[in-house]
């Protein structure tokens, strides 16, 4: 990689950065806090900053950049962007992972730095609910409050995370920890993610050489979605890097803080400012949304306790661009008819189904079955993404899909190259070895691809499909996969993933009448409209968004968490690029209370009904 002077460095791939973003990218000698609203291009900013640091030698080999995200797919997306901009020269030097993965990597690497009484068994499971429940019952804790299973699990998590290390007290959590650390009564050792982070923090706090090694290794740390950082995560990062030469770049937006229920710290921006005195940079561009949609977002600033800033939109828009609609339907059948008709109209005008999204505040399975059925009448697929979204982002599934793409069509250089490089890593074939090892790997890979292609042409049943998946996984090497992705070492996690993948893909294969390529495309969601919750939509964008159920029952906790619920609504409206439609049903049979109201969340209706904001449509069987 050619090193350039900072004054001569230009953004990669012809990207034009706004002035504030350019400032944040070039800031290499101090900490930076970037306030980036929706559509500001924060992922691109971090990718360009990594490129700047590597290409100007500000991050000198062998030093690395650590990027921490909240979701695995976000971490992977950022890593891919950086490698695309910097090439293979920096592979291994840009480490992009989640908080949980970073904590686990420290615990697994430095397990024996813990004293015996705090050292978990090396083959510990992660977050095994059944084992955790048994452990609590073993010490005599039998759900004294009569909580539901989900609330009881949350209670366990709280009790375990409030433990102080070392274990010297007699409280419930302190008595359960030893059981979970070592295993008990035939049950394997099991740790929650918070327990893992607590142990990792203990390792760093009590071993100055390990702490110093981390600080020397990572000269820069990026913190994405900073507004959602929990108290434990912030304490963990502080323990690792505060007081060192490592420079922090935090990127976030208070208006999108929707994880307070999970422990996100409301004062996190102020805390960082007090701790590190970073240079604060505010991005003013919204590259995503049309002008009318941006104005809707800005109209919410006061209710989110944010000062109105001069948000600018892309030059590609006309000032009047953007569609905002409020549909008020008599019931969900009228709602579904109107929504399906509107979606089909957009598809007929050239919008791809994957560029349309249906959002729900929660439980989309209660709000969208009628819409899914109505869309099917138009030949339009729509599916709830929960299972697929989590599955597709798994590294092992991503690898299998890319290989499957290549088996029937070798003219896919990007996917084929990815498979070759991944396999070389799994088989530990590196540049110091002879070309013979790499050639042999390629020959075996081609032979496997040809064998599977033959099976595709012949067609296969469910049993034969199981054999194909097993063959692909064993070809890569199960232990190799677990070594590269340590998360798969835990219990039956890898096996459960593969079983779920087998079932979902085979269903797609059968529905497409054994069309292999179409089944892959359908599995990846290429031809269907995604349906998801607001939380799952974070970080995504769509040409058109349909928010189903703008009703009190959907925002049932608004009175208790009004600030967070407003942030969730803001996240929903900021996913759309060109059009957003909200629906309200006077009657909805899929919810606890059939008669719907909007008294509690009336501020959202008042916002949409302001002059010039939304087109209000009253939908009933008589008008459709």
């Amino acid at each position: 990689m050619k090193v350039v002077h900072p004054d001569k460095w230009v953004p990669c791939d012809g990207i034009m950065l706004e002035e504030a973003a350019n400032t944040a990218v070039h800031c290499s000698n101090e900490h930076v806090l970037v306030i980036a609203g929706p559509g500001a291009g924060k992922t691109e900013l971090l990718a360009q900053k990594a490129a700047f640091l590597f290409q100007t030698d500000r991050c000198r080999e062998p030093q690395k950049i650590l990027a921490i995200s909240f979701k695995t797919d976000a971490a992977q997306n950022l890593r891919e962007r950086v490698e695309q901009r910097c090439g293979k020269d920096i592979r291994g030097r840009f480490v992009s992972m989640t908080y949980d993965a970073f904590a686990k990597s420290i615990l697994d690497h430095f397990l024996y730095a813990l004293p015996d009484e705090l050292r978990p068994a090396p083959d510990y499971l992660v977050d095994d609910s059944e084992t955790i429940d048994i452990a609590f019952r073993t010490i005599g804790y039998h759900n004294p409050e009569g909580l539901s299973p989900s609330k009881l699990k949350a209670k366990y998590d709280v009790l375990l995370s409030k433990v102080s290390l070392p274990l010297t007290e007699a409280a419930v959590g302190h008595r359960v920890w030893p059981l979970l650390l070592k295993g008990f009564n035939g049950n394997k050792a099991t740790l929650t993610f918070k327990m893992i982070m607590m142990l990792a923090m203990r390792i760093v706090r009590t071993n100055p050489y390990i702490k110093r090694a981390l600080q020397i290794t990572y000269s820069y740390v990026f913190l994405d979605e900073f507004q959602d950082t929990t108290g434990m995560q912030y304490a963990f990062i502080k323990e690792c890097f505060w007081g060192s030469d490592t420079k922090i770049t935090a990127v976030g937006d208070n208006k999108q803080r929707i994880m307070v229920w999970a422990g996100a710290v409301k004062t996190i921006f102020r805390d960082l400012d007090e701790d590190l005195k970073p240079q604060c940079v505010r991005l003013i561009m919204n590259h995503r949304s049309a002008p009318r949609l941006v104005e809707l977002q800005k109209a919410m600033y006061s209710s989110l306790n944010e000062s109105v800033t001069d948000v600018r939109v892309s030059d590609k828009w006309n000032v009047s661009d953007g569609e905002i609609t409020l549909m008020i339907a008599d019931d969900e059948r009228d709602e579904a008819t109107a929504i399906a008709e509107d979606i089909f109209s957009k598809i007929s005008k050239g919008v791809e189904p994957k560029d349309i999204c249906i959002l729900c505040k929660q439980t989309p399975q209660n709000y969208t079955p009628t819409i899914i059925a109505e869309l099917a009448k138009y030949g339009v697929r729509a599916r709830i993404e929960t299972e697929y979204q989590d599955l597709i982002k798994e590294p092992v599934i991503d690898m299998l899909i890319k290989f499957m793409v290549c088996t029937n069509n070798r003219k896919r250089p990007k996917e084929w190259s990815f498979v070759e490089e991944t396999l070389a890593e799994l088989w530990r074939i590196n540049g110091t070895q002879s070309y013979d090892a790499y050639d042999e790997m390629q020959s075996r890979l081609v032979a496997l691809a040809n064998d599977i292609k033959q099976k595709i042409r012949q067609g296969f049943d469910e049993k034969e499909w199981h054999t194909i998946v097993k063959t692909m996984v064993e070809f890569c090497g199960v232990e190799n996969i677990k070594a590269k992705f340590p998360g798969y070492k835990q219990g039956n996690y890898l096996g459960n993933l593969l079983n779920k993948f087998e079932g979902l893909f085979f269903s797609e294969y059968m529905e497409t009448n054994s069309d292999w390529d179409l089944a892959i495309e359908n599995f990846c969601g290429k031809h269907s409209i995604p349906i998801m919750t607001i939380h799952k939509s974070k970080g995504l964008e769509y040409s058109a968004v349909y928010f189903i159920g703008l009703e009190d029952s959907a925002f049932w906790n608004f009175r208790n968490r009004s600030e967070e619920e407003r942030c969730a609504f803001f996240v929903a409206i900021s996913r759309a690029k060109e059009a957003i439609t909200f629906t309200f049903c006077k009657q909805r049979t899929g919810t606890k209370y059939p008669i719907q109201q909007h008294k509690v969340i009336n501020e959202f209706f008042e916002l949409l009904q302001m002059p010039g904001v939304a087109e209000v449509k009253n939908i009933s069987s008589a008008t459709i």
Side-chain angles (χ1 to χ4, degrees), residues 184-370:
F184 62 100
N185 300 339
N187 297 288
K188 294 190 73 171
T190 299
L191 304 180
T192 66
F193 288 110
K194 288 181 181 177
M195 290 173 71
I196 291 171
M197 189 167 290
M198 291 166 69
L199 290 170
M201 208 181 317
R202 178 77 179 177
I203 289 171
V204 176
R205 181 182 300 125
T206 58
N207 293 272
Y209 290 110
I210 293 175
K211 174 184 272 194
R212 184 59 183 150
L214 281 173
Q215 296 170 352
I216 292 174
T217 299
Y218 299 112
S219 53
Y220 294 91
V221 173
F222 297 168
L223 303 177
D224 197 8
E225 300 287 5
F226 188 60
Q227 75 280 348
D228 290 331
T229 305
T230 68
M232 184 179 291
Q233 289 164 346
Y234 190 61
F236 177 44
I237 292 299
K238 284 180 68 172
E239 193 65 60
C240 291
F241 298 110
W242 267 223
S244 71
D245 292 331
T246 301
K247 300 304 177 189
I248 307 295
T249 297
V251 183
D253 178 19
N254 254 334
K255 300 184 297 300
Q256 299 185 65
R257 182 166 24 85
I258 60 174
M259 300 299 288
V260 173
W261 63 273
V265 180
K266 290 185 177 182
T267 60
I268 198 70
F269 286 76
R270 188 175 68 209
D271 294 347
L272 185 74
D273 184 61
E274 292 175 354
D275 284 345
L276 298 181
K277 301 294 185 290
Q279 179 175 348
C280 187
V281 175
R282 185 180 294 272
L283 305 188
I284 62 173
M285 285 295 298
N286 185 321
H287 300 280
R288 175 187 301 153
S289 302
R292 290 190 61 210
L293 274 67
V294 171
E295 289 303 312
L296 175 62
Q297 295 166 24
K298 288 168 64 176
M300 283 200 68
Y301 278 29
S302 60
S303 66
L304 296 170
N305 299 314
E306 286 280 323
S307 57
V308 178
T309 55
D310 183 23
V311 181
R312 299 180 187 175
V313 298
S314 169
D315 293 337
K316 67 182 179 181
W317 302 109
N318 294 317
V319 67
S320 60
D321 284 347
E323 299 175 15
I324 305 170
T325 306
L326 172 61
M327 289 185 178
I328 301 176
D330 287 344
D331 56 39
E332 65 258 46
R333 185 156 296 284
D334 290 342
E335 172 190 67
T337 302
I339 290 295
E341 183 180 294
D342 197 62
I343 287 177
F344 184 69
S345 173
K346 283 182 169 56
I347 292 175
S348 300
K349 293 174 184 176
V351 180
E352 294 286 338
K354 64 183 177 62
D355 292 327
I356 299 170
C357 180
I358 296 175
L359 285 183
C360 302
K361 175 65 171 63
Q362 57 196 1
T363 57
Q365 64 272 18
N366 293 340
Y367 286 83
T368 59
T370 310

Side-chain angles (χ1 to χ4, degrees), residues 469-566:
V469 173
K470 184 178 179 182
T471 300
M472 290 190 292
V473 173
E474 289 180 348
F475 180 81
C476 296
V478 174
E479 293 307 315
N480 295 337
I481 292 172
K482 291 181 177 180
K484 180 172 172 58
F485 307 109
Y488 296 147
K489 293 179 181 179
Q490 309 306 323
N492 297 321
Y493 185 53
L494 178 59
N496 292 338
L497 279 179
L498 294 172
N499 288 337
K500 187 180 292 186
F501 168 65
E502 281 184 30
L504 290 174
F505 180 80
F506 190 74
S507 295
E508 298 288 359
Y509 179 73
M510 296 303 292
E511 287 182 19
T512 58
N513 295 318
S514 305
D515 187 324
W516 176 262
D517 293 331
L518 182 57
I520 293 174
E521 290 178 353
N522 284 350
F523 179 83
C524 295
K526 186 175 181 180
H527 304 296
S528 62
I529 294 172
I531 301 172
M532 65 187 76
T533 63
I534 295 174
H535 282 77
K536 286 288 185 182
S537 75
K538 192 82 174 292
L540 304 176
E541 61 182 28
Y542 299 90
S543 176
V545 169
Y546 293 82
F547 185 94
I548 307 302
L550 189 61
E551 297 148 11
D552 287 346
S553 61
F555 291 81
W556 57 271
N557 209 18
F558 189 89
R559 286 192 175 94
N560 298 324
R561 296 197 313 227
S562 58
E563 184 179 350
E564 191 173 355
E565 300 285 74
R566 291 186 185 104

Side-chain angles (χ1 to χ4, degrees), residues 3 80 109 131 140 156 274 276 299 372 434 437 458 461 472 502 576:
V3 176
E80 289 173 353
H109 278 94
T131 302
Y156 289 159
E274 292 175 354
L276 298 181
I372 293 172
S434 67
Q458 295 171 350
D461 59 21
M472 290 190 292
E502 281 184 30

Side-chain angles (χ1 to χ4, degrees), residues 450-463:
N450 289 337
D451 181 56
I452 294 177
K453 184 174 183 178
Q454 186 63 32
K455 289 181 171 62
I456 295 168
R457 288 179 174 177
Q458 295 171 350
F460 50 82
D461 59 21
E462 191 167 7
K463 184 177 180 181

Side-chain angles (χ1 to χ4, degrees), residues 96-197:
S96 184
M97 60 177 70
T98 63
Y99 277 103
D100 290 333
F102 180 50
K104 190 173 187 307
S105 69
I106 291 176
L107 176 59
D108 291 347
H109 278 94
F110 304 110
L111 191 69
Y112 291 94
L114 288 166
D116 180 69
E117 65 272 14
L118 289 178
R119 187 185 311 137
D123 60 345
Y124 65 87
L125 304 178
V126 178
D127 219 21
D128 187 89
S129 300
E130 184 178 354
T131 302
I132 294 170
D133 181 58
I134 294 171
F136 272 91
R137 286 191 278 114
T138 298
I139 62 102
Y141 187 87
H142 296 283
N143 192 9
E145 299 170 65
L147 301 174
S148 65
S150 60
K151 290 184 177 179
L152 183 60
K153 181 181 178 182
K155 178 75 171 182
Y156 289 159
D157 198 45
V158 169
L159 290 172
L160 292 170
S161 62
K162 286 191 173 180
V163 164
S164 56
L165 303 180
L167 301 168
T168 57
E169 299 177 23
V172 171
H174 286 75
R175 286 184 283 143
V176 174
W177 261 72
L179 300 180
L180 295 177
L181 282 171
K182 304 297 185 181
F184 62 100
N185 300 339
N187 297 288
K188 294 190 73 171
T190 299
L191 304 180
T192 66
F193 288 110
K194 288 181 181 177
M195 290 173 71
I196 291 171
M197 189 167 290

